[in-house]
């Protein structure tokens, strides 16, 4: 029986190798009183540690090949700059002298003081930079206590093809480990949005974070399988499992290198139909991944992430700065900014103290419903999106529309904001397209109503499937019922595409179904010509598009839509994908 340890897969791919445990992360330090006569020795010890930390980071910087993307080396440069800053070089020295304490304790006091300052910052980006401070402080502490920071050097030999298991890894450590040839890594802490996670994704390194491994579960030298796509680490593996994973790994690697050549190729079907292939993004950083994968633009920017994990609400200026950063990062490529889809599983600060507890949060005040009830929250966002449209091709998209009344109210509000901005002399694009997400069955069934009044539609299959099949998408116990091929789902999707064709309104799909290559031909056969997918799925979908002939797909898809037999639908999908 193999041992399975689960975590959050932050990239894709399979790695097989020996475990290499690294001592990283939080360093425990204690206060020690220093006699006045030895204070200057203690200060000198601290300054030596800072110098050593700088040397280590410079060594990492030099060890990274020239060809490494700038966003990777920037992480290390940020840490080097911090080691020049008086907040870490001068303030602890003063604390040693004032408190007659050891360097480790003085550094800890300074770190805690900085954490309080960062906590009060309005800018969410700056707040997250406390992680960088912690990484730099931990490096100095490890030098002070005489522990080995791996940057001082395990041999490349020990690390080559190893799967590194650590409490946490800094971006700098991750970059170096990559250079030293590790196969992948697993950390106990960390989330999918940390810089280390972003780095692992952009380096294409299989990795899992947020596992809660204990040392007796995994030992140095054990052979393990890291399946990042599934977010699992397998230990104590049988020979047959190892063999089958080695085969899977070879297939994946071959496939990825073949796909790379598609980055700059157009998304055109075998019979000449051009498809718009856009990317879904949550964070400003994801825009780089989208551009690198050759996306034609952004088809879904989920702005609610700006509102989450914080105790306040971002104001118009903060939102504008964020949207402009994304628009500028795209250098002229189009972007679809979705207004906040808060509520249900996506909690936010302003609602935290609310007395009301919905019985069915997914059916309650969510997305556009919440925004129309709370225009103080909504207006600054609409103003910020409109203002951002002055600087690039921006489209605005409204989530979870379900009725004409709601749509009209939203459109009137947008019109009101346009007048307001014009009165104030603030620039915006008067022709900024406005679209809506079709993710409620009622909206799909009356898609013509939305097609008549909007500039574009986008099908959100994650919610459309949830609401059509009455399965809570965050409830594990009903996941087995999630079925994009259910006849009801297929027919609703088809109705939306037909409504768009009838009113000549572009229809896109931005739910996960669009990024699953098993469904690409089915969607092409229904007439979908715009896909918005996670950046990591883009090339696989493009590959299927290039190998498809719409004229051959259409008759099979017609049969699929006419069938209400799941087995027949499954068999027809198999036939489509085998063409
Ligand atoms: C969807 O519902 O398909 C969608 C894209 O929106 P989200 O996943 O953010 O609800
Ligand atoms: Mg949705």
């Amino acid at each position: 029986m193999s041992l399975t340890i689960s975590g959050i897969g932050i990239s894709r791919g399979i790695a097989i190798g020996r475990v290499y445990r690294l001592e990283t992360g939080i360093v425990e330090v204690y206060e020690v009183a220093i006699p006045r006569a030895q204070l200057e020795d203690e200060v000198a010890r601290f300054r030596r540690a800072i110098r050593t930390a700088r040397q280590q980071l410079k060594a990492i910087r030099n060890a990274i090949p020239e060809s490494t993307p700038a966003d990777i080396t920037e992480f290390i440069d940020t840490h080097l700059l911090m080691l020049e800053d008086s907040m870490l070089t001068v303030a602890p020295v003063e604390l040693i002298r004032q408190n007659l304490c050891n360097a480790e304790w003085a550094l800890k006091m300074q770190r805690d003081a900085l954490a309080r300052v960062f906590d009060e910052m309005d800018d969410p980006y700056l707040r997250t930079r406390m992680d960088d401070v912690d990484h730099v402080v931990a490096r100095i502490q490890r030098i002070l206590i005489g522990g080995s920071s791996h940057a001082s050097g395990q041999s490349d030999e020990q690390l080559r093809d190893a799967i590194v298991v650590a409490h946490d890894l800094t971006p700098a450590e991750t970059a170096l480990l990559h250079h030293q040839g590790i196969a992948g890594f697993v950390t106990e802490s960390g989330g999918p949005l940390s810089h280390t996670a972003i780095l692992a994704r952009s380096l294409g390194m299989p990795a899992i974070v947020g596992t809660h491994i204990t040392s007796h579960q995994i030992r140095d030298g054990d052979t393990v399988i890291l399946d990042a796509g599934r977010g699992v680490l397998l230990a104590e593996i049988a020979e047959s499992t190892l063999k089958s994973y080695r085969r899977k790994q070879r297939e994946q690697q071959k496939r990825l290198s073949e796909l790379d050549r598609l980055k700059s190729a157009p998304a055109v079907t075998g019979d000449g139909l051009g498809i718009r292939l856009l990317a879904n993004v949550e964070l400003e950083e994801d825009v780089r991944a989208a551009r690198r994968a050759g996306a034609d633009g952004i088809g879904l920017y989920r702005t609610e992430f700006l509102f989450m994990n914080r105790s306040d609400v971002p104001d118009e200026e903060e939102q504008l700065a964020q949207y402009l950063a994304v628009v500028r990062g795209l250098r002229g490529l189009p972007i679809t900014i979705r207004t906040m889809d808060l509520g249900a599983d996506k909690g936010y600060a302003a609602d935290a103290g609310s007395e009301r507890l919905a019985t069915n949060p997914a059916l309650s005040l969510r997305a556009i419903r919440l925004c129309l009830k709370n225009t103080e929250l909504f207006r600054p966002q609409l103003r910020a999106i409109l203002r951002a449209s002055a600087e690039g091709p921006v489209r605005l998209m409204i989530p979870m529309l379900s009725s004409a009344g709601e749509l009209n109210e939203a459109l009137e509000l947008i019109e009101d904001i346009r007048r307001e901005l014009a009165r104030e002399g603030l620039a915006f694009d008067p022709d900024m397209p406005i679209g809506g997400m079709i993710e409620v069955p009622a909206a799909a069934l009356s898609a013509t109503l939305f097609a008549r009044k909007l500039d574009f539609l986008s099908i959100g299959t994650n919610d459309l499937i949830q609401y059509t099949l009455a399965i809570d998408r965050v409830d594990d116990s009903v996941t087995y019922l999630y079925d994009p091929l259910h006849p009801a789902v297929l027919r609703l999707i088809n109705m939306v595409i037909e409504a768009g064709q009838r009113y000549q309104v572009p229809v896109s799909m931005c739910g996960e179904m669009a990024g699953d290559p098993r469904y690409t031909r089915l969607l092409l056969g229904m007439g979908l010509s715009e896909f918005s997918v996670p950046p990591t799925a883009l090339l696989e979908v493009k590959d299927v598009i290039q190998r498809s002939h719409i004229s051959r797909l259409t008759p099979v898809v017609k049969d699929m839509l006419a069938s209400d037999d799941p087995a027949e639908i499954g068999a027809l999908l198999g036939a489509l994908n085998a063409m």
Side-chain angles (χ1 to χ4, degrees), residues 302 338 341 346 366 399-400 437 439 460 462-464 473:
R302 291 178 160 104
R338 177 173 80 177
D341 179 10
K346 297 177 192 161
R366 181 190 160 185
M400 215 194 163
M437 285 195 69
E439 45 187 353
N462 308 341
D463 279 311
L464 186 61
R473 61 192 263 196

Side-chain angles (χ1 to χ4, degrees), residues 111-126:
R111 181 258 162 223
D112 293 348
L114 288 170
R116 286 191 290 276
V117 176
F118 273 83
D119 250 3
E120 279 161 18
M121 285 183 181
D122 283 339
D123 185 325
Y125 177 78
L126 284 180

